[in-house]
Amino acid sequence: MNSDAHTGGHTARRRFGQNFLTAPGIVSRIVEAIQARPGESVVEIGPGLGALTQPLIERLGHLHVIEIDRDLIARLREKYNSGCLTIHEGDALKFDFGVLCAGENPSLRVVGNLPYNISTPLLFHLAGFASRLRDGHFMLQKEVVMRMVAAPGTVEYGRLSVMLQYHFQMERLFDVPPGAFHPAPKVTSSIVRMTPLPAGTYAAHDEARFARIVAAAFAQRRKTLRNTLRGFLDGIALEALGFDPSLRGERLSVADFVTIANAL
């Protein structure tokens, strides 16, 4: 089967990290995992050729999408009317998700097959809206998802793990093989569910300072806390807080990092 049959004549653009989902069985599993219901506020990041868009509209009645590729935007406008699809043209990294949040209760649901080249910064951007989100379902490179859900003391555990787990409960749902996409990526993907934690679960007094401490602790993974955090506090201060200065950052839980940040 040629590429036109897979993508309707659209050439995937490397600069946008485009790999289009084409496997109906995988699409069905993702849609079932999301469990979208009529009337819910849902936004899809990077709808691409609409593999998820169509079944989501069928379930919801109306869907928001964020797309940067003008050719794909034209296709979407040709296929759907504004009554069932609202297109936000632009970069998801700069999008204000708050404009789609209605009322005081967390309401917005976010889904998407996230481009590999912007997945990490996009997740950090979304974390800033965690208190307004109901949940998120994303497809990412499996290696990234393993880092997102990793527990302390594991090889995959790092800055991404801590910063996302500060805001969200993370759940890896299932893997997606390269053959489910066109063009096929060189890596396996995974579906992850991110559910915002209740307010105050982890209460860093200064979240910017918390983020700096986490970044410092993992900047040089092989070094101990005594060395990586010396710009914030010394070994004696760490011991006073109940931490062994000879440990590495990967041994600390999210709550441990919050404790250190709040002690400063």
Side-chain angles (χ1 to χ4, degrees):
M1 186 178 292
N2 63 33
S3 62
D4 283 0
H6 282 292
T7 63
H10 179 83
T11 301
R13 297 182 178 179
R14 183 174 296 177
R15 68 190 176 102
F16 293 147
Q18 291 177 342
N19 295 90
F20 300 115
L21 185 62
T22 57
I26 297 296
V27 171
S28 296
R29 286 189 72 185
I30 295 171
V31 172
E32 283 301 315
I34 296 170
Q35 286 292 306
R37 290 179 171 82
E40 292 179 338
S41 181
V42 179
V43 58
E44 180 185 5
I45 298 173
L49 296 172
L52 287 175
T53 309
Q54 180 65 38
L56 285 174
I57 288 175
E58 290 171 2
R59 286 191 172 224
L60 292 161
H62 178 270
L63 177 70
H64 291 272
V65 297
I66 305 169
E67 179 57 66
I68 196 171
D69 188 322
R70 290 179 180 176
D71 289 345
L72 293 176
I73 289 169
R75 285 169 174 255
L76 290 168
R77 285 189 174 138
E78 186 177 328
K79 185 173 182 179
Y80 300 102
N81 63 55
S82 58
C84 66
L85 186 71
T86 299
I87 302 170
H88 303 272
E89 183 174 352
D91 187 348
L93 280 170
K94 301 174 183 175
F95 187 75
D96 179 4
F97 289 88
V99 302
L100 301 182
C101 300
E104 296 181 3
N105 295 322
S107 60
L108 183 64
R109 309 187 70 190
V110 188
V111 303
N113 172 17
L114 303 188
Y116 297 148
N117 55 347
I118 65 163
S119 59
T120 298
L122 186 51
L123 289 167
F124 278 116
H125 179 56
L126 280 166
F129 298 93
S131 64
R132 311 291 302 279
L133 304 182
R134 197 179 116 190
D135 59 24
H137 291 81
F138 303 111
M139 178 150 51
L140 302 107
Q141 199 170 335
K142 181 179 179 179
E143 176 187 341
V144 176
V145 172
M146 295 305 290
R147 287 162 51 205
M148 293 166 67
V149 304
T154 60
V155 175
E156 294 89 357
Y157 187 74
R159 176 173 174 247
L160 184 66
S161 320
V162 176
M163 295 307 299
L164 291 182
Q165 290 173 31
Y166 175 84
H167 295 284
F168 301 97
Q169 176 185 335
M170 315 294 296
E171 184 182 0
R172 175 169 157 249
L173 301 182
F174 56 89
D175 294 339
V176 181
F181 301 90
H182 188 86
K186 297 179 180 178
V187 296
T188 297
S189 301
S190 294
I191 305 296
V192 63
R193 176 183 291 138
M194 298 168 53
T195 307
L197 294 168
T201 300
Y202 298 115
H205 302 329
D206 183 336
E207 291 191 358
R209 180 194 294 143
F210 166 75
R212 290 196 298 271
I213 288 172
V214 174
F218 291 104
Q220 295 174 290
R221 290 186 66 101
R222 297 183 65 82
K223 290 195 172 183
T224 65
L225 296 174
R226 179 184 285 108
N227 293 308
T228 58
L229 298 185
R230 65 171 54 177
F232 299 95
L233 70 180
D234 59 22
I236 295 174
L238 281 167
E239 288 180 343
L241 292 173
F243 299 108
D244 182 348
S246 67
L247 291 178
R248 294 173 180 168
E250 65 201 44
R251 306 300 302 185
L252 299 188
S253 67
V254 177
D256 291 337
F257 280 108
V258 171
T259 297
I260 293 172
N262 287 350
L264 295 176

